[in-house]
Amino acid sequence: MAQKTVLIVYAHQSPGSFNAAARDAAVEVLEDQGHKVLVSDLYAMNFSANSTRDDIVGELKNPELFQYGEETMHAWMEGRLSQDIIDEQRKINEAELIIFQFPLYWFSFPAIMKGWLDRVLTQGFAFSLQKMYNHGIFKEKKAMLSFSTGATQTMFRPDGINGDMNVALWPLQNGILHFCGFQVLAPQIFWCPAHSPAAVRAAMLVGWRARLRGLLAEKPLTFAPCELFDLSFQGGFLLRPEVREECSSQRHGITTGHHLGKPLPPNNQTDAEPENDQSASED
Ligand SMILES: Cc1cc2nc3c(=O)[nH]c(=O)nc-3n(C[C@H](O)[C@H](O)[C@H](O)COP(=O)(O)OP(=O)(O)OC[C@H]3O[C@@H](n4cnc5c(N)ncnc54)[C@H](O)[C@@H]3O)c2cc1C
């Protein structure tokens, strides 16, 4: 396989953590395969999570009413974003795959990683209303979440106390990564390493290393292409009537989010090639 560049955006405070071990495994296996690996170690970098006026160098377009999204879009166009954002945007431009490595915090990213997303994925650089989802700016790139949980796998089943992990992943994978065009690879989930026996933790890392060897060739998750929708404000960006009609005879919704009031397609956000039925979202 041709040499690729992989960016690992990593958020954990401790070099002795399980997340550090997962990051190190990724660096080692990918470099062994001849790929170039860049790591953004967010806590070590003291990366700011705050979207503020300091992200813009020079005058504001509208000092009366500070609008972060508008101002950063102009600053991006004019090369006036702060240096820490520019550095991360360069890494994204270079990378063919981005791996986000983190512990799950409140069903989501740690704040420092959310701040990286808020500040680095600037309008114009990462998305526009014309360029989103499968037409998105990063449609030639891949991205994936690799994270650990405090909860067990059964707690995140559709019948588990936390509810379906597919639902938790929808805003992160669809609303952020795929919105910017990324082809999203299935997440790597390390279930509850802190309360697993040492042998189980070791096996998790062996499994991750094995997956990493074929990662760049993996098929991405399925999302709903823009072509299914009326992409106009007049049409409300709604499913086109003929598509809705076609879906009416189908048992499951289109994706986890586009469920159309039907049973969710099982494992839509966790598996690129889900088996037809598992214990997941059933009628
Ligand atoms: C603010 C906050 C919010 C949270 N919200 C959620 C939530 O919504 N849902 C949820 O499920 N969880 C949640 N958690 C829990 C959190 O996700 C877990 O604590 C975290 O994922 C554990 O990962 P870690 O890397 O910190 O593990 P660590 O505690 O660092 O490691 C676990 C074990 O792995 C060992 N280890 C380290 N390196 C290796 C190695 N090379 N090989 C084998 N073992 C190794 C460590 O020594 C340790 O014994 C939350 C935690 C916080 C602080």
Side-chain angles (χ1 to χ4, degrees):
M1 187 186 286
Q3 193 221 31
K4 307 260 184 196
T5 300
V6 180
L7 169 61
I8 302 177
V9 183
Y10 166 76
H12 201 290
Q13 306 86 345
S14 169
S17 66
F18 189 84
N19 272 268
R23 174 205 56 189
D24 292 345
V27 172
E28 198 183 305
V29 173
L30 293 166
E31 283 185 348
D32 271 0
Q33 289 184 312
H35 301 306
K36 179 175 174 183
V37 183
L38 309 170
V39 178
S40 288
D41 182 343
L42 301 183
Y43 289 106
M45 292 157 72
N46 199 19
F47 194 82
S48 169
N50 300 327
S51 309
T52 69
R53 193 258 176 266
D54 292 345
D55 293 348
I56 299 123
V57 175
E59 297 298 306
L60 295 177
K61 297 282 170 199
N62 182 359
E64 308 299 315
L65 175 62
F66 178 61
Q67 290 169 305
Y68 183 80
E70 292 294 306
E71 292 287 351
T72 50
M73 180 184 69
H74 287 293
W76 171 74
M77 288 193 292
E78 295 163 11
R80 295 188 297 107
L81 283 168
S82 62
Q83 194 58 47
D84 60 343
I85 297 178
I86 291 174
D87 291 345
E88 296 308 297
Q89 291 184 340
R90 284 207 184 110
K91 291 179 200 168
I92 295 178
N93 282 338
E94 192 183 340
E96 276 120 333
L97 166 67
I98 304 180
I99 301 174
F100 293 89
Q101 180 65 56
F102 60 99
L104 193 70
Y105 276 11
W106 296 118
F107 282 40
S108 186
F109 302 106
I112 199 165
M113 187 172 271
K114 178 60 165 48
W116 186 96
L117 294 158
D118 290 347
R119 297 179 63 231
V120 176
L121 299 180
T122 314
Q123 184 165 354
F125 169 73
F127 70 93
S128 71
L129 261 194
Q130 293 70 42
K131 292 184 181 171
M132 58 179 179
Y133 294 117
N134 58 316
H135 299 162
I137 289 173
F138 300 134
K139 62 178 192 257
E140 305 302 332
K141 299 181 188 286
K142 294 176 176 167
M144 70 173 289
L145 307 181
S146 173
F147 61 95
S148 58
T149 67
T152 61
Q153 186 165 11
T154 56
M155 289 164 85
F156 269 110
R157 271 173 35 160
D159 57 348
I161 189 150
N162 289 343
D164 191 341
M165 177 56 92
N166 288 273
V167 174
L169 290 173
W170 175 257
L172 316 184
Q173 296 188 148
N174 183 73
I176 304 172
L177 302 182
H178 189 54
F179 181 73
C180 294
F182 288 108
Q183 299 168 46
V184 184
L185 301 183
Q188 177 71 23
I189 309 179
F190 301 103
W191 299 103
C192 195
H195 299 284
S196 300
V200 172
R201 291 198 306 269
M204 288 183 201
L205 292 169
V206 169
W208 176 222
R209 284 171 175 277
R211 184 180 173 196
L212 281 158
R213 290 186 199 105
L215 193 64
L216 280 142
E218 280 186 14
K219 198 174 159 225
L221 298 171
T222 303
F223 292 90
C226 289
E227 287 67 25
L228 301 188
F229 301 88
D230 177 344
L231 298 180
S232 69
F233 283 101
Q234 227 174 6
F237 293 82
L238 286 166
L239 214 55
R240 291 194 284 111
E242 63 274 26
V243 178
R244 181 170 275 278
E245 175 60 36
E246 217 173 281
C247 291
S248 63
S249 59
Q250 284 160 16
R251 180 158 173 259
H252 293 111
I254 304 171
T255 63
T256 303
H258 308 104
H259 52 70
L260 311 177
K262 293 166 180 265
L264 304 187
N267 301 323
N268 172 252
Q269 291 295 294
T270 51
D271 194 341
E273 294 177 272
E275 285 173 35
N276 235 347
D277 190 30
Q278 306 194 348
S279 63
S281 323
E282 274 310 302
D283 326 43

